[in-house]
Amino acid sequence: MTEPSRPRRGENLDITHKRGKPTLRTIATIAGLAVTTVSRALSDAPQISLETRQRVHRIAREIGYLPDRAAQRLKTGRTNVIAILLDSHEEVVGFSTSIMYGIAKALKETSYHLVVAPNFLSTTDVEAAEYIIRNHLADGLIFTRTEPLDARVRLLLETGFPFICHGRTEFSTPHPYVDYDNFSFAYEATRRLIAKERRKVAVILPPKRLTFCQHILHGFMTAVREAGIAYEIPETVDLDTPADVLRDFICSRATAPDAPDGFICPGEVSALAVISGMSDAGRTLAVDYDIVAKETSRLLTQLQPKVDTIHEDLTAAGEDLGRMLLQRINNVNLDDLHLLLTPQINFPIG
Amino acid sequence: MTEPSRPRRGENLDITHKRGKPTLRTIATIAGLAVTTVSRALSDAPQISLETRQRVHRIAREIGYLPDRAAQRLKTGRTNVIAILLDSHEEVVGFSTSIMYGIAKALKETSYHLVVAPNFLSTTDVEAAEYIIRNHLADGLIFTRTEPLDARVRLLLETGFPFICHGRTEFSTPHPYVDYDNFSFAYEATRRLIAKERRKVAVILPPKRLTFCQHILHGFMTAVREAGIAYEIPETVDLDTPADVLRDFICSRATAPDAPDGFICPGEVSALAVISGMSDAGRTLAVDYDIVAKETSRLLTQLQPKVDTIHEDLTAAGEDLGRMLLQRINNVNLDDLHLLLTPQINFPIG
DNA sequence: GTAAAAATTTAAAACGTTTTCATTCCTCGA
DNA sequence: TCGAGGAATGAAAACGTTTTAAATTTTTAC
């Protein structure tokens, strides 16, 4: 089985160079061409004759040639890798997995691979990006949960390293991003609660430092002001608050006379926590209060009584992120530098 | 800014070779040594004098030298990468993310990186593994959801490629794995339902082809037989069944006179589906029936009324997977080739 | 004081590509 | 008939490291 394939029918060329994988030299020997020519033929360079090109391609296929990525990388300086900064906050509900899945989808037919760079490698998240750049670990970078003046964006803009982020910033320099229309999410969610005749709505906001917190707040406030309804914005908890803490907070708040009877939850975990907390306080969903939640999975749809949800398709986002980053890396002019994905509303709007 | 840094104070050595990143040659020039010596000094080879070694290390640090991974890889044949086959079935509840997070943790202080290889790259999952090996994309491979005679394991054993899997197989050849004690999970879960005086228990099994399906079945049957209680094993649905389908199935089943009043759910989604389905049929959790579920997140713990859960720590599993694979790659003798992780039971056992 | 042995250091080749520059072989126009 | 110009191919250098084998220096043994 590991026996070296014996030359057949008088064949005696040194085809299997060092009994290892076939290289350009192997093909060159077989075809009676120079390595240079083979290299050119395989990369479909224009000056190679059609006949040679086809012959080389055929031989390569027959002997199962695969280019050595390390050699290519050493020579060209391109890694054929894109990296994603994995945020530890997203661990819970498969946020990152969905995005990665989408990215991988976009990379499918290309020569690119996806590597995962957890940001706990360093104290700050900028350092993780720096690490990638300095070690030349990738040709492009993807990251999530942007801040208005995101240090990672600043660094990457400065160094000119190709990147794209999931979420917007407030930098004037244009850079590519994919984002979800969180304004619309919050606006429509709030309007839904109002339509259900709730008299006081509350929103669980993401951590204040994140850009999309502002968008949600804006959407929420717009709907609230339009309707002139009472509202509440809890200050001591947010989307990253551990579920049990959030639950206790909601429970204690629920007993007050001016407690909200409508909640916007921008995530599955917070929605469950709110439901539990209210339940602890003896409040019943759909009777005493309502929730509109954002879901990135299909988890909440299973709940009973049914929670109104607005879906965020993270796999689609990942696919766009990957596609756009590749274009950026290869200097293809992006048709659109920015992409704003539309919320998919799972309840009747009127 | 991109102006070449002018030599200062009479310095005139060609330190910045081609105005680029420092290489071994840069250090060699500064130290007045041969490249060979520098290479050896940095890899702490024994024959280099202590003084030289320290000096080289100091210079490397000062000028911010980082080895070129492509060159190292080309020369040594080692990629410094380990790959994980991402399974599309695990998309939902962040199964993979947790494992990846753990792996990344194990890789933290090493020179290794984690790349994600989605298995939809190919028609079969063996092809994804083959792809990795043939393209020499990694030094080691991790994958999940093993089958008793797993084709991936067979391939990797044949080729001698380093790997470790999450889940057992039935191959006689010893190979490393990390697994969760699904027998105990199912056994304890079933006993819990029995302790709660349920008269007929049902289990939602994983797809039959997966090894851990057998373990769960075994644990379930053992407890059932010990107690001599009635049981049921739905044949038309499993853990991978879409939540809404499972929900409908449970609902229709619930109306029959011999319907089960206790459920083992080896996952969050199935637990929620069962709860919804029973609810559709007018059955109330903790009153008409009980559930014991496996959770890999902290999602179910939030539910009301409280579901009994047994936790599986996937991040810990990932950490072990990474650690053990590294040992394997570097031919360190594994203290234990096999690791069986203990279920963490979140209810009183008696 | 010298030869052998040990301790350091070095030169050069190699890994498999891509790329620059040169070469060969035509074809064509004068 | 000859040289110009183009098309196709090739030789060789380079990317930055590791490794083999050799050279140099230092130490040890007599």
Side-chain angles (χ1 to χ4, degrees), chain A residues 317-335:
Chain A
E319 211 172 336
D320 288 322
L321 284 166
R323 182 177 49 75
M324 289 169 70
L325 180 56
L326 284 190
Q327 293 180 329
R328 175 120 280 219
I329 289 174
N330 299 313
N331 285 315
V332 179
N333 250 3
L334 285 177
D335 28 328

Side-chain angles (χ1 to χ4, degrees), chain B residues 20-74:
Chain B
K21 289 182 337 186
T23 80
L24 285 186
R25 226 182 86 197
T26 321
I27 303 182
T29 311
I30 298 179
L33 289 170
V35 172
T36 313
T37 313
V38 175
S39 170
R40 289 230 181 74
L42 286 178
S43 55
D44 292 315
Q47 67 257 62
I48 300 297
S49 73
L50 181 63
E51 190 232 320
T52 307
R53 202 178 321 178
Q54 290 178 332
R55 196 156 58 93
V56 168
H57 272 291
R58 187 170 44 71
I59 297 177
R61 205 175 329 111
E62 279 175 8
I63 68 174
Y65 166 79
L66 287 172
D68 183 310
R69 303 181 75 101
Q72 287 182 317
R73 179 167 161 181
L74 175 58

Side-chain angles (χ1 to χ4, degrees), chain A residues 122-167:
Chain A
S122 11
T123 20
T124 69
D125 41 4
V126 207
E127 280 174 28
E130 252 170 343
Y131 176 83
I132 309 258
I133 301 180
R134 281 175 47 81
N135 283 58
H136 198 48
L137 223 100
D139 297 336
L141 193 54
I142 298 181
F143 52 89
T144 57
R145 291 170 61 103
T146 50
E147 302 176 15
L149 296 172
D150 200 288
R152 298 165 296 183
V153 175
R154 192 196 309 275
L155 170 73
L156 292 163
L157 281 174
E158 271 172 12
T159 54
F161 195 85
F163 74 100
I164 187 169
C165 41
H166 185 248

Side-chain angles (χ1 to χ4, degrees), chain A residues 97-112:
Chain A
T97 316
S98 308
I99 289 198
M100 278 187 236
Y101 207 78
I103 298 172
K105 228 168 174 174
L107 266 43
K108 189 172 177 181
E109 296 293 315
T110 75
S111 58
Y112 281 83

Side-chain angles (χ1 to χ4, degrees), chain A residues 234-266:
Chain A
E235 289 289 334
T236 55
V237 294
D238 65 30
L239 202 55
D240 284 358
T241 304
D244 50 340
V245 177
L246 180 52
R247 175 179 182 166
D248 290 345
F249 169 83
I250 293 290
C251 174
S252 66
R253 188 68 194 82
T255 58
D258 62 338
D261 58 357
F263 294 89
I264 316 282
C265 298

Side-chain angles (χ1 to χ4, degrees), chain B residues 112-132:
Chain B
Y112 282 82
H113 296 302
L114 176 64
V115 345
V116 177
N119 71 354
F120 59 63
L121 284 173
S122 13
T123 21
T124 70
D125 40 5
V126 206
E127 280 174 29
E130 251 171 343
Y131 177 83
I132 309 258

Side-chain angles (χ1 to χ4, degrees), chain A residues 289-303:
Chain A
Y289 72 104
D290 275 302
I291 285 186
V292 183
K294 187 203 280 185
E295 67 174 352
T296 57
S297 61
R298 291 283 173 194
L299 227 50
L300 293 180
T301 324
Q302 293 308 318
L303 279 185

